[in-house]
């Protein structure tokens, strides 16, 4: 395990020894604790260096990683990789190369990043002519506490649930009359947290998610020996997600969203206006957008018809991170967020990332697979199919995802001569 922390070093000097304007506090720095498997050696403490420099490199990598036109031809993808690789080598030189001597014999790397390093796709970091994922399985934890051995929670779990291809234009009147299961437990007050949220931009149908759901359903049945409940089109509603009661596996294939933390202006207008139809929040909830769990979420049927009506009930088609916490996922082994930007969140030094993946863990899920950026259906569908096939073959969650990504890398190298991380590295696994 590699536990990373960002902090300001403190020099213990008497005030009389400080020059005018000088402080005992130094500039933020990153340090890694490399913790071997039990009984296999000592913990090593590795300084990684200036946090501002590393964070800037990480942002440069993520900026260059983004591809506006996923349909690039072979030559364009090779050129994009040529631009990205030098930046990734610089970042790897700071955060990975100092750790490599301790990873030679490891089968799995468990990473607990901090601050901006949560948004780095560690598996895509280069090691000589390979990616790190070519050599080792990788998963993430918010804290080393997740690795503490404890008695498994003995609760009854229900059949897997798959939500895909929501009809975002489903009308409000139809939604109100739809037959939807209700939560078996009393709804948490958190489920009402966003009744006054105004609309986001209109969402477009994701037809590829229907294909994905049909492909993974048989693998889920083979894995759990239970027939999964599949909800698509007008049945893929927010209320139906909230009605999920401890499903063994929960798969949500839809649009995701995340807004950076920006303070409202003096007149109350929110910086979210660029992503919404309205230029202002709806009244009393303007101040609450500072909560990162209210600025991330998933979209479901009817979200395009949402007008911010406070009387919309439990289903406005927008499931926020705060509402997720009210769902009972105790005993749920895996949540898969096959959506864009679901792995992102507010980066807080020493506190991990407050975002959707943490919200589902707070709700009780053991592990969450989520994405760090927007990827096309053409890349997501085969990756998810391979992931669930690997799971049903008996592989661990981390190995199943990493093997699916390695298969994509091999295929792209064989057909295109390059494997740009944009197409395969977005998905990460957090948890046990």
């Amino acid at each position: 395990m590699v536990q990373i922390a960002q902090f300001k070093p403190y020099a213990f000097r008497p005030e009389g020894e400080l020059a005018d304007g000088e402080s005992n506090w130094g500039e933020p720095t990153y340090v890694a604790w490399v913790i071997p498997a039990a009984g296999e050696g000592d913990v090593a403490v590795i300084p990684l260096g200036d946090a501002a420099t590393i964070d800037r490199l990480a942002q440069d990598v993520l900026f260059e990683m983004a591809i506006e036109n996923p349909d690039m031809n072979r030559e364009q993808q090779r050129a994009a990789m040529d631009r990205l690789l030098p930046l990734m080598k610089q970042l790897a030189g700071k955060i990975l190369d100092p750790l490599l001597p301790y990873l030679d014999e490891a089968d799995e790397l468990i990473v607990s990043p901090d601050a901006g390093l949560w948004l780095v796709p560690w598996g895509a970091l280069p090691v000589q002519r390979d990616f790190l994922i070519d050599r080792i399985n990788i998963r993430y934890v918010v804290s080393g506490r997740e690795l503490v051995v404890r008695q498994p929670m003995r609760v009854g779990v229900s059949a897997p649930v798959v939500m895909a291809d929501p009809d975002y234009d489903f009308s409000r009147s139809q939604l109100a009359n739809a037959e939807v299961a209700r939560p078996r437990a009393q709804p948490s007050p958190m489920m009402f947290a966003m009744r006054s949220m105004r609309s986001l931009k209109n969402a477009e149908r994701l037809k590829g998610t229907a294909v994905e759901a049909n492909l993974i359903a048989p693998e889920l049945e083979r894995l759990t020996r239970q027939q999964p409940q599949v909800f698509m089109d007008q049945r893929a509603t927010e209320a139906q997600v909230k009605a999920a009661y401890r499903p063994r596996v929960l798969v949500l294939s839809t649009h995701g969203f995340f807004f950076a933390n920006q303070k409202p202006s003096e007149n109350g207008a929110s910086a979210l206006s660029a992503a919404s139809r309205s230029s202002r929040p709806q009244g009393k909830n303007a101040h609450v957008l500072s909560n990162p769990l209210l600025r991330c979420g998933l979209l479901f049927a009817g979200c395009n018809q949402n007008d911010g009506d406070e009387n919309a009930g439990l289903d406005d088609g927008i499931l926020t991170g705060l509402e997720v916490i009210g769902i009972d996922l105790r005993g749920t082994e895996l949540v898969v967020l096959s959506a864009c930007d679901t792995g992102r969140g507010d980066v807080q030094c020493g506190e991990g990332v407050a975002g959707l993946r943490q919200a589902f863990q707070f709700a009780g899920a053991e592990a969450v697979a989520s994405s760090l950026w927007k990827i096309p259906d053409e890349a997501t569908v085969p990756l998810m199919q391979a992931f669930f096939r690997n799971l049903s073959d008996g592989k661990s969650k981390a190995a199943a995802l990493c093997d699916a990504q390695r298969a994509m890398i091999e295929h792209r190298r064989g057909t295109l001569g390059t494997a740009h991380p944009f197409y395969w590295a977005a998905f990460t696994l957090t948890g046990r």
Side-chain angles (χ1 to χ4, degrees):
M1 176 184 175
V2 173
Q3 175 90 43
I4 298 175
Q6 182 197 116
F7 62 91
K8 290 184 177 181
Y10 185 87
F12 292 89
R13 296 176 296 176
E15 289 187 10
E17 296 182 9
L18 297 177
D20 289 343
E22 190 178 10
S23 171
N24 281 331
W25 293 103
E27 294 301 318
T29 186
Y30 281 112
V31 174
W33 281 258
V34 183
I35 307 168
E40 294 188 4
D42 298 325
V43 173
V45 182
I46 312 296
L48 300 181
D50 177 63
T53 300
I54 292 174
D55 286 345
R56 185 168 56 252
L57 280 172
Q59 288 300 317
D60 289 345
V61 165
L62 293 174
F63 179 82
E64 191 62 48
M65 185 86 70
I67 292 179
E68 293 184 4
N69 176 24
D71 298 325
M72 294 188 302
N73 59 34
R74 176 193 299 228
E75 289 71 24
Q76 290 171 325
Q77 290 192 36
R78 286 181 174 178
M81 191 65 191
D82 288 342
R83 293 190 299 269
L84 175 63
L85 192 55
L87 294 173
M88 295 192 67
K89 286 182 176 179
Q90 290 183 54
L91 180 60
K94 294 288 188 181
I95 66 174
L96 177 60
D97 291 357
L99 311 177
L100 289 178
Y102 303 90
L103 306 181
D104 284 343
E105 304 300 323
D107 297 317
E108 182 181 61
L109 172 61
I110 303 169
V111 186
S112 179
D114 196 10
L117 298 187
W118 264 108
L119 304 181
V120 172
W122 282 72
L125 294 175
V127 181
Q128 296 178 358
R129 301 185 65 180
D130 296 328
F131 297 114
L132 179 60
I133 199 173
D134 285 317
R135 303 187 173 204
I136 193 170
N137 290 333
I138 304 167
R139 64 182 169 105
Y140 300 77
V141 293
V142 176
S143 164
R145 291 189 300 270
E146 295 180 38
L147 304 180
V148 175
V149 177
R150 51 188 168 182
Q151 291 293 329
M153 182 175 290
R154 298 187 180 279
V155 297
V157 293
S158 58
V161 171
V162 179
M163 309 280 289
D165 187 26
D167 180 358
Y168 303 117
D169 294 317
F170 197 33
S171 72
R172 172 67 58 202
S173 59
Q174 289 175 304
L175 196 62
N177 295 325
E179 292 186 7
V180 179
R182 296 298 172 188
R184 291 169 60 176
Q186 182 68 25
S188 163
M190 293 178 185
M191 288 189 174
F192 296 91
M194 286 302 289
R195 294 310 97 214
S196 59
M197 182 179 182
R198 77 265 167 95
S199 301
L200 307 172
K201 278 186 176 180
N202 274 7
E204 298 180 0
R205 288 287 287 266
L206 294 171
K207 294 296 185 180
T209 63
V211 176
E212 178 183 317
N214 290 326
L215 288 173
I216 67 175
E219 302 297 345
L220 270 175
E221 185 171 1
R222 189 158 70 98
L223 171 66
T224 64
R225 298 181 182 178
Q226 292 177 293
Q227 184 173 357
Q229 302 179 69
V230 180
F231 302 95
M232 292 195 288
D233 196 56
Q234 298 175 355
R235 301 176 67 219
T237 63
E238 177 193 2
Q240 193 69 66
V241 181
K242 291 175 178 177
Y245 183 75
R246 303 177 184 177
R248 183 171 170 186
V249 179
L250 176 62
V251 181
L252 303 175
S253 298
T254 182
H255 283 296
F257 67 88
F258 167 75
F259 297 118
N261 185 13
Q262 299 185 27
K263 296 180 180 179
S265 64
E266 293 181 359
N267 64 6
S270 169
L272 301 188
S273 59
S276 68
R277 297 196 194 106
S278 168
S279 62
R280 301 195 334 171
Q282 296 291 326
K284 65 181 181 180
N285 271 15
H287 68 282
V288 87
L289 293 175
S290 61
N291 186 329
L293 294 181
L294 292 178
R295 288 183 280 104
C296 62
L298 300 167
L299 303 182
F300 293 96
C303 68
N304 287 348
Q305 304 297 325
N306 171 36
D307 56 4
D309 181 6
E310 293 190 19
N311 299 315
L314 279 178
D315 196 340
D316 59 5
I318 303 172
L319 179 71
T320 68
L322 192 59
E323 292 174 294
V324 166
I325 299 176
I327 304 173
D328 190 348
L329 298 180
R330 290 173 293 175
T332 297
E333 298 173 12
L334 176 66
V335 173
V336 177
L337 306 178
S338 186
C340 302
D341 293 339
T342 51
R344 296 178 60 198
D346 263 14
V347 176
Q348 298 293 333
C349 180
E351 299 177 9
V353 175
L356 271 180
R357 52 181 164 183
Q358 273 68 37
F360 280 96
Q361 288 182 285
F362 294 154
E366 293 181 7
V368 179
S370 58
S371 64
L372 295 172
W373 58 78
K374 295 176 173 64
I375 49 178
D377 284 343
E378 292 77 10
T380 305
V381 171
L383 179 65
M384 286 293 105
Q385 184 182 16
F387 175 41
F388 281 98
R389 182 171 59 246
N390 292 339
L391 284 172
S392 63
D393 286 341
K395 295 181 179 180
S396 70
K397 299 165 194 170
L401 180 57
C402 290
D403 282 350
Q405 291 173 318
R406 282 189 280 261
M408 286 195 69
I409 293 171
E410 183 178 359
H411 173 74
R412 299 190 75 85
R413 283 172 174 163
T415 57
L416 299 170
T418 187
H420 196 291
F422 170 82
Y423 297 95
W424 59 264
F427 278 92
T428 62
L429 183 79
T430 305
R432 302 191 303 276

